[in-house]
Amino acid sequence: MDWIAGCVDFGGTVGLLAFNGLFTLIKDYNLDYPDFYTRLYAYLDRDILHVKHRARFFRLLELFLSSTHLPAQLLASFVKRLSHLSLSAPPSAILIIIPFVFNILKRHPASMVLIHQEWTANYEDPFDPDERSPLLTNAIASSLWELASHQHHYLEGVSSMAKIFTTPFTQQPFAMEDFLDHTYTTLFESESKRITKIKKDPALMFEFKKDDLFPTTASATATEAQTLMPTDVVAELWRFG
């Protein structure tokens, strides 16, 4: 027992394999290890989204969080932590986090409050990212604004996936194996194949609507409006003298 706990503390691939063995002892042999999810929560840092064993970690994490008897506060902490980490994650990792969070919310309806929280311009997130215990982070009172921000991500695949939280939860849970092995190479290849299917050429220029961009007062005449409006907007912007 002490050896497995030491392997968990060691981290890396060794720690992940030790987690799997520890979970088996808890589930099948009634081992009492109350700090299991606290130790697991400590693994959620920025590095876990960049390491080569990222896919293995999310496979195990999905298994560990699959029980319907887990408290909502604990699940909310894991979901919120992943959402927070997604702000600095590569696109391939975000495409893992979004369906992963969706599946947890689908499986645990008590955590749905995270996507129904309202926030204003002066919103202060009550989540405590420095708290080590997943039961004390106050994540259940927070919201998933981080995932909502990905609706404006530069990669269309990410922005489209992030919009899944704005639709009714009638879709079946995602098969995580479809997302775990994404890399920059696979994302580039998928985007290249999608672009070749576009039949209509994208627009390379657009026309300025002068009245909308530079509205004039109601008393200004047409001649005055023409004087106020530069004929070449771009050229005027670059004129420094």
Side-chain angles (χ1 to χ4, degrees):
M1 172 60 195
D2 293 336
W3 179 77
I4 295 182
C7 292
V8 170
D9 295 335
F10 185 80
T13 304
V14 175
L16 290 180
L17 294 175
F19 262 120
N20 193 20
L22 191 60
F23 183 76
T24 301
L25 292 175
I26 294 174
K27 181 171 64 73
D28 297 337
Y29 298 96
N30 297 322
L31 175 68
D32 185 17
Y33 191 76
D35 294 334
F36 178 83
Y37 285 101
T38 302
R39 297 286 186 90
L40 181 63
Y41 185 72
Y43 268 67
L44 296 181
D45 55 16
R46 297 179 62 180
D47 296 336
I48 199 63
L49 300 179
H50 297 270
V51 295
K52 62 181 180 180
H53 55 267
R54 179 182 64 191
R56 178 190 292 270
F57 173 78
F58 275 93
R59 288 188 181 97
L60 292 176
L61 187 62
E62 184 180 28
L63 174 65
F64 299 155
L65 300 180
S66 59
S67 175
T68 56
H69 300 289
L70 294 175
Q73 175 61 54
L74 184 142
L75 291 168
S77 295
F78 278 89
V79 168
K80 179 62 179 181
R81 182 68 172 174
L82 288 172
S83 302
H84 196 69
L85 293 175
S86 71
L87 294 176
S88 59
S92 56
I94 300 176
L95 288 175
I96 297 176
I97 292 175
I98 292 177
F100 185 88
V101 171
F102 178 88
N103 289 352
I104 290 182
L105 298 182
K106 183 81 173 179
R107 188 181 301 116
H108 305 276
S111 302
M112 293 282 287
V113 66
L114 290 171
I115 62 174
H116 296 300
Q117 300 279 14
E118 297 182 357
W119 64 86
T120 61
N122 298 324
Y123 175 76
E124 294 185 5
D125 198 336
F127 172 69
D128 184 5
D130 298 325
E131 174 58 49
R132 295 185 177 183
S133 174
L135 295 175
L136 302 176
T137 61
N138 200 28
I140 198 67
S142 182
S143 64
L144 301 183
W145 60 267
E146 299 93 342
L147 296 185
S149 68
H150 293 313
Q151 296 179 21
H152 306 285
H153 197 274
Y154 68 87
L155 187 64
E156 184 179 1
V158 174
S159 60
S160 299
M161 181 67 72
K163 294 177 183 177
I164 191 67
F165 297 105
T166 63
T167 61
F169 269 50
T170 56
Q171 179 175 323
Q172 293 298 317
F174 290 98
M176 289 304 303
E177 290 298 328
D178 297 337
F179 304 92
L180 293 178
D181 295 322
H182 271 309
T183 61
Y184 279 111
T185 302
T186 59
L187 291 177
F188 179 80
E189 291 176 351
S190 62
E191 286 296 312
S192 299
K193 294 178 181 179
R194 185 184 66 84
I195 292 176
T196 57
K197 297 179 182 179
I198 299 178
K199 298 181 180 180
K200 185 178 180 181
D201 295 334
L204 298 179
M205 60 182 299
F206 65 96
E207 179 182 0
F208 280 101
K209 295 182 179 180
K210 300 180 180 180
D211 293 340
D212 294 338
L213 289 176
F214 300 94
T216 58
T217 60
S219 61
T221 63
T223 305
E224 292 172 342
Q226 183 65 26
T227 303
L228 293 174
M229 169 60 60
T231 56
D232 190 341
V233 178
V234 177
E236 291 295 329
L237 289 175
W238 284 96
R239 183 173 299 172
F240 298 98

